[in-house]
Structures are given as structure tokens and as C-alpha cells.
């Protein structure tokens, strides 16, 4: 099973592109959503998070207290890296298991942090979704309901669109949404031939 990673900066339109691939019958694993699910459903992961950050990470119903966990890692790179070292391997393992159960020409994993999370080690090809910075700022601020300055701070710690283009096998430019279906269809056609 060919495994393809889709990455891009905040506001680039990764999810929009992935939904277009889904429309072509390609299964998509949304890594961020799965990570949130696994942090609640996977006993080993819950145990490791609680051991690292305290039993307050989970309430009496076993639900993750996202605010508490966010307060533990906010502004602390060492703690953020520790959490990532616990969660990212679990997501990678879960993606590989999920991919093996799919029946399609290929599967996609969508991740803003494809290279940072280690998912790049378990994929065969990669796609960068890029857009103009001003458009990305506007999209992300509107989507998340936050000021542009907050989005700029998030963007400052991500790889740039130029870096992602150099690191990936394919690039989809999301400036004009009307051109997206055609770009996705072209990449889909190439991937099905591999």
C-alpha cells in the first residue's frame, strides 16, 4: 500500500485538499484528529501522559483535560518535546495499522508536522500544500477566530512553504480554489501509476 503524506503551513488548505482526494476515493488519515482520539482511547498512551504530566491530565471519566495539558507545555519546549515523544510514535504506529487495513490504490496521512512527527519515515511520497502568506493568515485567523498576530506567531515556528516545496515530491498551490480540483486530479493520476 502506497502511503502519501500531505503537509503545509497553517491556513494553506491541507484539509480542503485532502477532502478533494477523499472525493476521488482515497482514504485520508487526519493525524491531528487521530492523536486526540488516541490520547483518550489508548490505555498505554494515557498511562505515559499521566506519568509525565500528572494524573490531572485526565478527569474521572477518563477524558483528557486539554486545558491542563496545554498549561503544562505552554512556553516550555522541553515539556512540549516530551509530549511529542510520547504521542507521535503512537500516531505513526496507528497510521501504519490503519493504512494496512485500507483497500485503495494509495492512502494519505494529513499532518501539519509531517517531518517533525516522524510520519515522513513511514510514507512513500509527500505533497506540500502551499499558499500565499497573507491568504494563509486571513484563512487561519477566520477559521480559528483568533487575531492575525496569534497566527503569525504559529507560522513563525513552522517550516516555510519554500522549505516544504523542497522537501516534498509534489506541490499543490492553493491560491485559486477553482484550480484545486484539477491540481489534485493531476497528482492523483501520478500516484495511481506508482
Amino acid at each position: 500500500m502506497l502511503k502519501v503524506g500531505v503537509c503545509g503551513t497553517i491556513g494553506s488548505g491541507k484539509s480542503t485538499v485532502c477532502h478533494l482526494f477523499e472525493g476521488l476515493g482515497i482514504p485520508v488519515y487526519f493525524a491531528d484528529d487521530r492523536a486526540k482520539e488516541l490520547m483518550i482511547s489508548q490505555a498505554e498512551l494515557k498511562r505515559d501522559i499521566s506519568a509525565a504530566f500528572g494524573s490531572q491530565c485526565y478527569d474521572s471519566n477518563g477524558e483528557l483535560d486539554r486545558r491542563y495539558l496545554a498549561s503544562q507545555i505552554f512556553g516550555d519546549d522541553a515539556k512540549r518535546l516530551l509530549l511529542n515523544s510520547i504521542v507521535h510514535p503512537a500516531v505513526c504506529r496507528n497510521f501504519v495499522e490503519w493504512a494496512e487495513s485500507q483497500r485503495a490504490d494509495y492512502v494519505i496521512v494529513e499532518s501539519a508536522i509531517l517531518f517533525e512527527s516522524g510520519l515522513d519515515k513511514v510514507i512513500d511520497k509527500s505533497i506540500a500544500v502551499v499558499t500565499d502568506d497573507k491568504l494563509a493568515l486571513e484563512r487561519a485567523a477566520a477559521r480559528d477566530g483568533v487575531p492575525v498576530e496569534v497566527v503569525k506567531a504559529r507560522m513563525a515556528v513552522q517550516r516555510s512553504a519554500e522549505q516544504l516545496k523542497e522537501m516534498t515530491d509534489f506541490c499543490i498551490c492553493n491560491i485559486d480554489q477553482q484550480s484545486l480540483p484539477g491540481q489534485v486530479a493531476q497528482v492523483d493520476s501520478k500516484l495511481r501509476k506508482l
Side-chain angles (χ1 to χ4, degrees), residues 1-4 27 99-107 122 124:
M1 172 67 62
L2 186 72
K3 295 184 267 312
V4 179
E100 289 171 359
S101 71
Q102 301 303 308
R103 298 291 167 254
D105 289 334
Y106 63 95
V107 297
V122 298
D124 305 296

Side-chain angles (χ1 to χ4, degrees), residues 4-15 17-18 21 108-117 119-120 123 125-131 158-161 163-174:
V4 179
V6 171
C7 61
T9 60
I10 189 168
S12 63
K14 296 178 296 297
S15 296
V17 165
C18 286
F21 276 105
I108 286 177
V109 56
E110 183 268 346
S111 175
I113 54 172
L114 186 72
F115 296 97
E116 298 83 351
S117 66
L119 281 163
D120 63 311
I123 60 170
K125 295 292 178 188
S126 54
I127 302 167
V129 180
V130 300
T131 193
Q158 292 184 332
R159 293 179 195 271
S160 71
Q163 289 172 313
L164 291 176
K165 281 199 263 188
E166 290 176 14
M167 298 171 76
T168 55
D169 301 295
F170 301 97
C171 181
I172 293 175
C173 185
N174 184 12

Side-chain angles (χ1 to χ4, degrees), residues 29 38 42 45 84-95:
Y29 180 102
L38 293 172
Q42 203 172 76
L45 194 52
N84 290 348
S85 74
I86 295 168
V87 176
H88 292 169
V91 172
C92 286
R93 286 190 301 273
N94 186 257
F95 165 66

Side-chain angles (χ1 to χ4, degrees), residues 2-184:
L2 186 72
K3 295 184 267 312
V4 179
V6 171
C7 61
T9 60
I10 189 168
S12 63
K14 296 178 296 297
S15 296
T16 300
V17 165
C18 286
H19 290 309
L20 289 170
F21 276 105
E22 284 181 316
L24 297 174
I26 302 304
V28 178
Y29 180 102
F30 292 92
D32 193 43
D33 294 341
R34 284 297 180 102
K36 290 172 185 169
E37 290 171 19
L38 293 172
M39 290 168 74
I40 295 168
S41 66
Q42 203 172 76
E44 182 182 341
L45 194 52
K46 288 173 76 168
R47 185 196 68 229
D48 292 347
I49 291 170
S50 294
F53 299 98
S55 60
Q56 307 93 308
C57 289
Y58 293 91
D59 66 19
S60 58
N61 296 322
E63 292 297 313
L64 181 65
D65 185 337
R66 295 188 194 289
R67 283 189 183 189
Y68 171 78
L69 188 56
S71 75
Q72 294 300 298
I73 65 171
F74 181 76
D76 188 329
D77 284 343
K79 286 186 177 179
R80 181 181 52 79
L81 291 172
L82 174 60
L83 179 63
N84 290 348
S85 74
I86 295 168
V87 176
H88 292 169
V91 172
C92 286
R93 286 190 301 273
N94 186 257
F95 165 66
V96 170
E97 289 169 11
W98 172 88
E100 289 171 359
S101 71
Q102 301 303 308
R103 298 291 167 254
D105 289 334
Y106 63 95
V107 297
I108 286 177
V109 56
E110 183 268 346
S111 175
I113 54 172
L114 186 72
F115 296 97
E116 298 83 351
S117 66
L119 281 163
D120 63 311
K121 308 285 189 284
V122 298
I123 60 170
D124 305 296
K125 295 292 178 188
S126 54
I127 302 167
V129 180
V130 300
T131 193
D132 145 308
D133 283 350
K134 184 176 182 288
L135 195 53
L137 280 170
E138 291 169 2
R139 284 179 187 157
R143 178 195 68 206
D144 298 344
V146 297
V148 170
E149 292 72 31
V150 171
V151 179
K152 281 184 181 177
R154 291 179 190 165
M155 287 177 95
V157 298
Q158 292 184 332
R159 293 179 195 271
S160 71
E162 290 305 314
Q163 289 172 313
L164 291 176
K165 281 199 263 188
E166 290 176 14
M167 298 171 76
T168 55
D169 301 295
F170 301 97
C171 181
I172 293 175
C173 185
N174 184 12
I175 302 269
D176 168 20
Q177 296 231 335
Q178 292 173 334
S179 73
L180 276 184
Q183 291 182 71
V184 168

